[in-house]
Amino acid sequence: MTAVSAPRPRHVPERTCVACRRKRPQHELVRVTRTAEGWRVLPGRRTSRGAYVCANSPACWVEKRLRRAFGASAPGVSAALQALNPAMNDTSTGQTMTS
């Protein structure tokens, strides 16, 4: 008689946020892709060089925290991330929320 083993848990890929350095499941992060024009937040799957930033943490979208990974492209990446998630921005003061 053979023993029935429990099904294996599904593998969940983890990535590290370049701003806060926390490891999180890949689906909780936004991928920033390196293109010929610089770093861009692009929809869909990409196969080139990329980096990940927390999708639900406005503190990670601050230009100063992104500068280590994106250098001079940090202001553009920061603006693109904030445009992707307008609900996370406080529109009354023009400041992003600090979770």
Side-chain angles (χ1 to χ4, degrees):
M1 183 168 202
T2 60
V4 177
S5 62
R8 286 184 157 179
R10 184 176 171 97
H11 172 71
V12 178
E14 287 188 337
R15 301 292 184 260
T16 302
C17 172
V18 295
C20 66
R21 309 306 258 176
R22 283 188 294 175
K23 280 193 161 204
R24 302 177 88 174
Q26 185 175 359
H27 69 274
E28 293 180 11
L29 301 167
V30 174
R31 187 165 193 265
V32 182
T33 305
R34 176 76 180 178
T35 64
E37 296 83 35
W39 291 94
R40 303 283 181 249
V41 178
L42 301 171
R45 291 182 170 242
R46 299 285 177 214
T47 58
S48 60
R49 179 172 299 275
Y52 292 86
V53 180
C54 294
N56 61 353
S57 179
C60 291
W61 308 337
V62 178
E63 178 186 335
K64 185 176 179 182
R65 295 191 84 180
L66 297 173
R67 197 163 286 286
R68 170 181 38 200
F70 304 116
S73 297
V77 172
S78 178
L81 289 168
Q82 291 176 11
L84 266 180
N85 298 304
M88 299 291 277
N89 295 329
D90 183 10
T91 57
S92 64
T93 62
Q95 299 290 324
T96 56
M97 294 172 35
T98 56
S99 53

